[in-house]
Amino acid sequence: MTTLPPPKVKKAPEDSKESRVYSLVESLAEYIQIPNDRNRLAYCLYKYLNNEGDEPKITLKNAKINFSGISLEDLSKKLDEGLEKIK
């Protein structure tokens, strides 16, 4: 039995909006320890910046992001501040 190689993935340019959102979420890895939660949150925040999603406080609840060591309000405030810099 054989398997196909994984699809080739092009990385987004470092100065793109998508890359900056993922970097913002990765900088909060001490609070959000599960990599899949970070990826899900970054995707939702990227959609928010494109006017397709909810604000960070709502996204943290709806996407069921597991975080520890910080309150919901503080984490959403950090995300809001980071997103303002990206806009």
Side-chain angles (χ1 to χ4, degrees):
M1 184 157 86
T2 63
T3 59
L4 297 174
K8 301 209 186 292
V9 177
K10 290 183 185 177
K11 261 196 128 160
E14 293 296 322
D15 60 341
S16 70
K17 187 187 301 187
E18 180 180 5
S19 189
R20 290 185 288 170
V21 169
Y22 276 85
S23 295
L24 168 66
V25 174
E26 282 299 319
S27 71
L28 300 171
E30 64 182 283
Y31 305 118
I32 307 169
Q33 283 115 10
I34 301 171
N36 286 342
D37 282 351
R38 291 194 302 267
N39 286 335
R40 186 168 58 250
L41 177 60
Y43 174 75
C44 291
L45 293 176
Y46 178 69
K47 289 184 63 111
Y48 168 69
L49 287 179
N50 290 328
N51 298 321
E52 296 177 11
D54 295 322
E55 62 184 36
K57 188 171 185 176
I58 295 171
T59 298
L60 287 169
K61 291 179 184 177
N62 289 345
K64 298 180 182 171
I65 305 298
N66 295 318
F67 56 91
S68 62
I70 192 169
S71 68
L72 174 66
E73 290 78 23
D74 290 340
L75 183 56
S76 63
K77 183 178 176 185
K78 285 181 183 268
L79 290 170
D80 282 331
E81 290 170 357
L83 292 174
E84 282 301 317
K85 292 178 185 175
I86 292 172
K87 286 182 183 178

